[in-house]
Amino acid sequence: PSFALGHLVLGMALLFDGDAQCAIAPLEHGLTLNPNDPQNVAWYILLAYAQLLADEPRRALDSANRAPAVRPNFRPAFEVLVCCAAALGCLDDARAWLARMSELDGPESYFVAPLKRNSPRYDARITELISKVML
């Protein structure tokens, strides 16, 4: 019950399996159990995607905003911010996050790749939100 990583990985597995709604609780619980881990940037990003893809964009934006607080120059944190802002119709904010993302070197969202690969509908939703900002 107190193994934070176990809860986080369970949430990630559920998300990657296409069940965003069920992924939220274990991700939130794992973050509650271990709030100061420097790797939480990845877990906040995954939590934000789970909330976003479960049609909870306001909560997703709150979670996404925690990722750059943990690691301010981590490029993948800004992709989820772009998606959340776009989902809420805040296109100016989304464009600002997209500009910030383009300024940063670093990897793409490699740890989100299984989500996109395993769930075409989630990949399509993420792609739709990002392209909405680029219009």
Side-chain angles (χ1 to χ4, degrees):
S2 63
F3 183 44
L5 186 59
H7 291 280
L8 293 165
V9 171
L10 172 61
M12 178 179 67
L14 289 165
L15 178 61
F16 288 178
D17 193 43
D19 196 343
Q21 186 64 51
C22 287
I24 294 170
L27 286 165
E28 288 177 330
H29 188 63
L31 285 161
T32 300
L33 290 172
N34 193 9
N36 300 312
D37 188 326
Q39 296 304 315
N40 281 351
V41 64
W43 303 117
Y44 282 124
I45 291 168
L46 291 173
L47 174 59
Y49 275 119
Q51 292 165 327
L52 178 68
L53 296 166
D55 294 321
E56 299 180 26
R58 177 69 52 203
R59 286 181 66 204
L61 183 60
D62 290 341
S63 297
N65 273 311
R66 292 175 181 232
V70 175
R71 195 164 162 198
N73 295 316
F74 191 53
R75 193 172 194 273
F78 295 94
E79 179 184 87
V80 72
L81 282 164
V82 169
C83 290
C84 292
L88 290 167
C90 302
L91 297 182
D92 289 340
D93 291 342
R95 287 184 188 102
W97 290 125
L98 186 64
R100 177 69 178 126
M101 187 175 94
S102 67
E103 294 170 358
L104 298 172
D105 291 327
E108 298 297 319
S109 298
Y110 56 89
F111 56 90
V112 179
L115 166 68
K116 295 176 180 180
R117 183 177 53 247
N118 294 342
S119 183
R121 69 187 165 108
Y122 289 167
D123 184 33
R125 179 69 175 140
I126 292 166
T127 301
E128 170 196 345
L129 289 168
I130 290 172
S131 49
K132 186 185 216 184
V133 175
M134 298 176 136
L135 294 176

